[in-house]
Each structure stands twice: as structure tokens, then as C-alpha cells.
């Protein structure tokens, strides 16, 4: 999340109107968009990608736990952080998936195991 604070007065007590804020943003839109584009470029450069082996491990978890799309997004985000902090996560995921209860038989069961996995990774 990015928050942009617009300083519309300098403590003069002047009343701030929506029109004044719109004018301030409009007159500085090039600076604002340039700043946002710079942040976007930095995010793309620093984005963590997964190897083919890691993608295969992720796919195995998604299938075995019957993950929803939302759960898959959560898992990928957690694994990005894990990879940045600890390196590869495949061995850890494979150990977790070598549970005799895998694959899960129901989505409810999958959610239960998903929560346990999240707590182990975070």
C-alpha cells in the first residue's frame, strides 16, 4: 500500500476544499506519476521468482491441499518471504507433503492443513 499525503497549507488556518486538493494534485501529477513509476520499476526488479523445481513443489501443495485461488495466492506470498529469508523451500514442503493424510480428501481438511503449513513457514 502506498499513501500519498498532500500538504495543502502551511499552518495558516486556510480552509482546505476538495477543489484545492484536486488542483494541488493536478499541478504535481507529473512528479507523482514519475515517483509511482520508479516504485513500480523497483518492485519489478526486486520481485522474487520461483524456479521450475519450486513451481513443481508449489503445484504439489496446491493439488494435495485442494487450495482455492485465494489460498494459492497466500501460499505464493508466504513462500516469497520464506525464500528471501531462508532460501529454497522445496525440502520443507516435501517433508510436509509426505504426511500419510495427503492428499486431503475434502476442502475443509485441506484448509486445516493449509493453516498448519502457514504457521510452519511464517
Amino acid at each position: 500500500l502506498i499513501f500519498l499525503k498532500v500538504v495543502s497549507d502551511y499552518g495558516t488556518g486556510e480552509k482546505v476544499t476538495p477543489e484545492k486538493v484536486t488542483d494541488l494534485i493536478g499541478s504535481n501529477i507529473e512528479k507523482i506519476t514519475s515517483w509511482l513509476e520508479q516504485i513500480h520499476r523497483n518492485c519489478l526488479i526486486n520481485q522474487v521468482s520461483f524456479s521450475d523445481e519450486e513451481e513443481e513443489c508449489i503445484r504439489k501443495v496446491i493439488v494435495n491441499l485442494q487450495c482455492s485461488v485465494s489460498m494459492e495466492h497466500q501460499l505464493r506470498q508466504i513462500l516469497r518471504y520464506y525464500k528471501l529469508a531462508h532460501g529454497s523451500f522445496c525440502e520443507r514442503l516435501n517433508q510436509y507433503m509426505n504426511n500419510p493424510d495427503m492428499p486431503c480428501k475434502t476442502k475443509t481438511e485441506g484448509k486445516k492443513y493449509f493453516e498448519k503449513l502457514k504457521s510452519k513457514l511464517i
Side-chain angles (χ1 to χ4, degrees):
L1 297 176
I2 296 174
F3 296 91
L4 180 66
K5 182 176 181 177
V6 177
V7 178
S8 57
D9 64 45
Y10 297 96
T12 61
E14 180 183 348
K15 185 177 178 186
V16 178
T17 63
E19 293 81 18
K20 181 172 181 174
V21 173
T22 301
D23 290 343
L24 285 168
I25 292 172
S27 64
N28 290 289
I29 198 70
E30 287 181 23
K31 292 177 187 174
I32 294 168
T33 54
S34 173
W35 178 70
L36 289 171
E37 286 169 353
Q38 180 182 359
I39 291 171
H40 184 254
R41 279 191 305 275
N42 288 339
C43 287
L44 291 176
I45 290 168
N46 296 322
Q47 188 173 12
V48 176
S49 59
F50 300 120
S51 69
D52 291 342
E53 177 189 10
E54 290 168 334
E55 283 291 346
E56 183 59 36
C57 291
I58 294 169
R59 178 67 31 216
K60 183 179 177 183
V61 171
I62 291 166
V63 170
N64 284 334
L65 297 183
Q66 298 188 26
C67 290
S68 65
V69 172
S70 175
M71 290 165 66
E72 178 180 350
H73 289 299
Q74 286 180 50
L75 177 64
R76 288 180 176 280
Q77 189 64 33
I78 291 166
L79 292 174
R80 279 186 192 94
Y81 287 119
Y82 187 92
K83 184 174 180 175
L84 285 169
H86 307 287
S88 182
F89 49 79
C90 285
E91 185 177 330
R92 185 112 189 228
L93 288 183
N94 287 331
Q95 288 173 351
Y96 191 76
M97 290 294 109
N98 285 334
N99 182 322
D101 294 329
M102 295 299 152
C104 293
K105 291 155 191 61
T106 66
K107 283 197 174 268
T108 304
E109 185 182 6
K111 286 181 184 180
K112 181 179 83 171
Y113 281 103
F114 180 73
E115 290 304 318
K116 288 179 182 179
L117 176 61
K118 281 177 26 180
S119 68
K120 288 183 181 293
L121 295 171
I122 295 177

